[in-house]
Amino acid sequence: MPMLDLSPDELLTTTRAVRKRLDLSRPVELEVIRECLEIALQAPTGGNLQTWHFMVVTDAAKRAKLAEIYNRAFDEYRAMPHYAGKKFQDNAMRGRQQAKMADSAEYLAAHLHEIPVHVIPCMAGRTEGVQTVWAATMWASLYPAVWNFMLAARARGLGTSLTTVHLMFEKEAADVLGIPFDKISQGALIPTAYTKGTDFKAAKRQPLDDVLHINDWGSQ
Ligand SMILES: Cc1cc2nc3c(=O)[nH]c(=O)nc-3n(C[C@H](O)[C@H](O)[C@H](O)COP(=O)(O)O)c2cc1C
């Protein structure tokens, strides 16, 4: 597949959550998804156990069912006090960013069924009642692969956004896809499509010094 001309740092800093700029009319070849997943498999896992699985959903009826589940979850999330779209009302810059993000997230929810491919990264095992050290090790053995997938997708002109709200109804999604819920955990749902244009920019983040601690938590 043709690759965009991006330096490593450009790739790392311009892989955004793409929602409104997904090209819903352009089909995505299974081959390019396979290429990105081959790169995902180069990520590290605890003990090299490679506990991952990747569910790729292209079937329109299944995508529609997942979109219905996602929207039901999103409705609940929107009503929650910690809904991201309502945070930072006392900080103008972050407030504007959050409002923009919420608008973009609404668009994604409304169009989810039209997005040609959904990738659902999964892992063997479940973490209910598992000690933090092992739960962290399990999830941290999936997410580097997830990010590798998203970076590889960006390098090929695809856009993705990592989403987790459908996990409120994870069992229902498992039933749609034949995933054995008692043995396999879903980690996310990643809508994937080619992007309209490829000129994405680095995001504005809070200053590093606000979150950096050197040798002691209280240091600045
Ligand atoms: C753990 C996690 C869960 C997320 N869940 C959702 C989600 O359910 N729906 C959604 O639209 N975006 C979701 N996002 C995307 C974030 O909203 C997005 O990363 C954020 O707006 C920052 O945008 P950027 O990635 O372009 O910098 C999630 C991101 C992460 C890391």
Side-chain angles (χ1 to χ4, degrees), residues 10-24:
E10 281 168 341
L11 179 67
L12 289 164
T13 56
T14 65
T15 302
R16 298 266 70 78
V18 185
R19 304 180 181 101
K20 290 188 172 177
R21 287 179 62 190
L22 294 174
D23 186 345
L24 304 179

Side-chain angles (χ1 to χ4, degrees), residues 2-220:
M3 304 278 282
L4 303 183
D5 183 20
L6 295 171
S7 70
D9 281 0
E10 281 168 341
L11 179 67
L12 289 164
T13 56
T14 65
T15 302
R16 298 266 70 78
V18 185
R19 304 180 181 101
K20 290 188 172 177
R21 287 179 62 190
L22 294 174
D23 186 345
L24 304 179
S25 62
R26 183 170 167 193
V28 174
E29 313 81 359
L30 192 55
E31 196 46 44
V32 70
I33 299 292
R34 288 187 63 99
E35 253 184 49
C36 298
L37 289 173
E38 291 284 2
I39 289 168
L41 297 187
Q42 291 298 318
T45 50
N48 198 23
L49 291 179
Q50 301 175 47
T51 38
W52 44 42
H53 288 265
F54 299 91
M55 168 67 71
V56 176
V57 189
T58 59
D59 179 85
K62 291 190 178 188
R63 283 185 291 119
K65 280 189 191 155
L66 292 174
E68 186 277 312
I69 293 169
Y70 183 99
N71 273 278
R72 209 160 4 104
F74 200 79
D75 285 345
E76 286 202 13
Y77 173 52
R78 205 188 284 110
M80 288 175 176
H82 62 271
Y83 169 52
K86 285 192 196 135
K87 282 194 177 172
F88 303 112
Q89 280 165 347
D90 52 350
N91 175 326
M93 197 268 275
R94 290 203 74 185
R96 273 195 304 278
Q97 275 186 346
Q98 292 300 110
K100 204 170 160 216
M101 189 271 301
D103 185 53
S104 163
E106 292 289 346
Y107 176 91
L108 183 80
H111 293 275
L112 199 65
H113 60 290
E114 298 169 61
I115 298 171
V117 181
H118 297 161
V119 175
I120 301 186
C122 301
M123 67 172 183
R126 300 209 58 89
T127 52
E128 288 90 353
V130 172
Q131 242 188 320
T132 303
V133 53
W134 304 122
T137 302
M138 289 167 76
W139 286 119
S141 295
L142 184 62
Y143 268 71
V146 167
W147 189 232
N148 264 18
F149 169 78
M150 292 168 69
L151 292 169
R154 159 80 174 130
R156 286 161 179 76
L158 292 161
T160 58
S161 40
L162 199 162
T163 79
T164 52
V165 288
H166 90 284
L167 298 175
M168 282 187 212
F169 303 117
E170 183 192 351
K171 171 80 168 66
E172 283 186 50
D175 290 345
V176 169
L177 300 167
I179 298 172
F181 177 79
D182 51 333
K183 294 200 281 273
I184 300 289
S185 304
Q186 297 166 55
L189 185 153
I190 308 175
T192 305
Y194 282 102
T195 55
K196 296 180 193 160
T198 56
D199 55 328
F200 293 90
K201 294 192 175 66
K204 282 202 178 64
R205 299 293 198 220
Q206 58 185 319
L208 173 62
D209 285 331
D210 287 4
V211 292
L212 177 66
H213 312 268
I214 297 176
N215 297 322
D216 185 90
W217 186 262
S219 76
Q220 279 295 327

